[in-house]
Amino acid sequence: MPEKPTLAEATLKLEYYCSYQERCHQEVVDKLYQLGMKSDEIDAIVVHLLQHNFLNEERFARSFARGKHRIKSWGKIRIVNELKQRHISAPNIKAALSEIDDTEYYQIFDTLAQRHWNSLTERDGQKKNKKFCDYLLRRGWESQLVYEKMKELEKL
């Protein structure tokens, strides 16, 4: 079993850990527990990271929302749920959602929906509709948007 790092070594490791990718508080605390640190040491390291701007929950939330929307084409519902799972506060979640431009949001939705609709090989209309809706709902898109789009594509 590897030796437990000193407070200074753990602080340096976590500075690096936070500098190459945005992290939330929960990820940092989990990492420190993996390193075998005690609660008072964890608190000291987290305070250090916050004071030196290595750790910023709002910045993490904004970056997370932008990335998951643009790269993975997630909808707002999935983004909110994932942020809640990471114990991000409501004001930070609201700030994160403000990062998503409405026109870009609907454009990505239309592209994703059209691509998925065309990729479905299902012949039965009801099964095709279910697969289409399940896919988009799983990715966190609003049900109203999904059902409207399904009806629109069904007519074509």
Side-chain angles (χ1 to χ4, degrees):
M1 186 170 154
E3 282 188 34
K4 180 184 144 202
T6 65
L7 188 63
E9 290 170 343
T11 303
L12 280 174
K13 277 187 179 188
L14 269 289
E15 282 180 357
Y16 177 73
Y17 182 68
C18 293
S19 65
Y20 71 85
Q21 180 181 323
E22 288 294 338
R23 305 285 179 183
C24 66
H25 291 339
Q26 191 62 47
E27 290 172 322
V28 170
V29 170
D30 291 346
K31 181 72 169 174
L32 287 166
Y33 275 119
Q34 284 177 1
L35 292 174
M37 306 303 285
K38 295 180 182 150
S39 292
D40 57 331
E41 295 170 321
I42 290 173
D43 292 342
I45 293 172
V46 168
V47 167
H48 169 82
L49 294 172
L50 286 167
Q51 287 173 341
H52 292 87
N53 209 22
F54 284 100
L55 194 56
N56 184 323
E57 201 115 279
E58 182 180 352
R59 190 176 64 211
F60 166 79
R62 287 176 180 268
S63 171
F64 183 88
R66 273 192 317 269
K68 295 300 180 187
H69 177 64
R70 289 186 182 143
I71 296 167
K72 292 200 170 194
S73 301
W74 284 4
K76 290 180 181 178
I77 294 171
R78 174 102 185 248
I79 292 169
V80 167
N81 289 340
E82 293 287 331
L83 288 171
K84 282 181 182 176
Q85 204 171 17
R86 287 169 171 76
H87 307 291
I88 306 297
S89 66
N92 286 340
I93 291 174
K94 188 175 180 180
L97 291 178
S98 72
E99 287 290 306
I100 300 172
D101 179 52
D102 283 343
T103 48
E104 179 187 9
Y105 186 74
Y106 294 117
Q107 183 180 6
I108 287 175
F109 173 74
D110 284 338
T111 305
L112 181 67
Q114 189 70 50
R115 187 177 338 126
H116 189 64
W117 182 264
N118 293 335
S119 74
L120 290 172
T121 57
E122 197 65 52
R123 291 278 181 242
D124 181 27
Q126 215 170 7
K127 279 186 180 178
K128 183 174 185 173
N129 292 348
K130 182 178 178 354
K131 285 184 178 185
F132 175 78
C133 291
D134 287 350
Y135 174 78
L136 292 171
L137 292 172
R138 197 171 43 251
R139 294 187 79 139
W141 295 94
E142 293 84 346
S143 56
Q144 176 190 344
L145 273 177
V146 173
Y147 295 130
E148 285 175 8
K149 191 67 175 177
M150 179 194 64
K151 287 176 185 171
E152 176 188 320
L153 291 169
E154 231 177 358
K155 292 176 183 175
L156 298 177

